[in-house]
Amino acid sequence: MKSPSIAIVDYGMGNLHSVARALMHAAPHANVYLASDVAGIKSADRIVFPGQGAMPDCMRNLAQSGLSDAVLEAAASKPLLGVCVGEQMLFERSEEGNAACLGIFPGIVKRFQGQRYATTAPENTPLAAITHENEKLKVPHMGWSRVKQTRAHPVWQGIPDEAYFYFVHSYFVVPDNDSLTVGTALYGQVFACAVARDNIFAVQFHPEKSAGHGLRLYRNFVEWDI
């Protein structure tokens, strides 16, 4: 059997080398590489689309890299895994900088806000535990949270429901269609943290920082037969 080739989209935003190391560990038979040109994306069997940082910067870098159309083309036919801001970029628009996104999925990206949340969190603040009604949750949401699997999917194979995954984010996706959601988490409110349709699976959390369950998710993606 031919070893699958997996391109990690390199547009200058995201923890690319950590993602690559995790993928290579989870699927040592795969050919994992960073793709900073159109040819690298076109030649891959599967695509991983990470993202990290502010949405306006991510969208600007993606456009300036010349990879936008290649990502859209891949998303129409190849197995694609979105990670963190890479998940958010699949939607129509983000409240962060009122940035237009790729528009593959209908819906928007919203910020954690309201009376349950503190305005900011010091750097490296761990996930806050709620012990009193008036205790404020820090933003960004940073740390381990349970993920409720709301719909069966091959990429969840072998991962227990409500397993812990690692999050670092201030924004989350709000799909127009609930059927897109395959996983939710709780942080002051229930929010969609995993979405899927056809050949696309995308998560808000970081599988590469999520120990064994994260590695299993990467391996499931590599083995996913769409």
Side-chain angles (χ1 to χ4, degrees):
M1 180 181 295
K2 175 179 175 289
S3 297
S5 57
I6 305 171
I8 302 170
V9 183
D10 180 4
Y11 57 101
M13 304 291 289
N15 197 7
L16 305 180
H17 295 287
S18 293
V19 172
R21 285 194 296 270
L23 274 167
M24 288 187 285
H25 184 77
H29 62 291
N31 174 25
V32 178
Y33 61 91
L34 304 184
S36 58
D37 56 30
V38 171
I41 295 175
K42 284 182 175 291
S43 63
D45 299 314
R46 295 169 188 266
I47 306 297
V48 176
F49 186 41
Q52 189 169 297
M55 179 65 78
D57 295 336
C58 287
M59 289 304 302
R60 184 183 310 111
N61 277 30
L62 183 64
Q64 291 176 349
S65 72
L67 299 180
S68 297
D69 288 344
V71 170
L72 289 170
E73 181 180 338
S77 59
K78 297 180 180 182
L80 183 145
L81 176 66
V83 177
C84 195
V85 179
E87 179 210 33
Q88 297 175 10
M89 293 170 75
L90 301 177
F91 285 78
E92 295 173 302
R93 182 167 293 277
S94 174
E95 287 185 346
E96 188 173 20
N98 193 30
C101 303
L102 292 174
I104 295 170
F105 290 153
I108 62 172
V109 181
K110 296 180 65 70
R111 192 180 195 279
F112 287 115
Q113 55 189 343
Q115 294 182 349
R116 297 300 305 275
Y117 303 100
T119 303
T120 59
E123 187 176 358
N124 296 325
T125 299
L127 178 64
I130 303 175
T131 56
H132 302 94
E133 286 188 8
N134 62 350
E135 185 171 358
K136 298 288 188 180
L137 292 168
K138 305 296 186 182
V139 178
H141 168 207
M142 185 182 302
W144 296 87
S145 286
R146 293 183 185 270
V147 171
K148 174 67 178 175
Q149 298 172 23
T150 59
R151 177 160 60 86
H153 193 282
V155 178
W156 289 138
Q157 181 69 34
I159 299 173
D161 190 20
E162 300 201 11
Y164 281 95
F165 287 88
Y166 192 82
F167 291 78
V168 182
H169 65 122
S170 300
Y171 294 80
F172 58 94
V173 301
V174 182
D176 281 354
N177 189 337
D178 289 341
S179 67
L180 285 173
T181 302
V182 295
T184 61
L186 174 65
Y187 194 68
Q189 61 187 292
V190 175
F191 66 93
C193 68
V195 295
R197 187 181 69 192
D198 301 329
N199 55 299
I200 300 173
F201 193 95
V203 298
Q204 180 61 65
F205 51 82
H206 289 269
E208 69 279 4
K209 297 180 181 179
S210 298
H213 295 320
L215 293 177
R216 179 60 188 262
L217 189 145
Y218 276 138
R219 185 165 72 252
N220 288 346
F221 170 70
V222 174
E223 297 175 351
W224 179 24
D225 183 5
I226 64 167

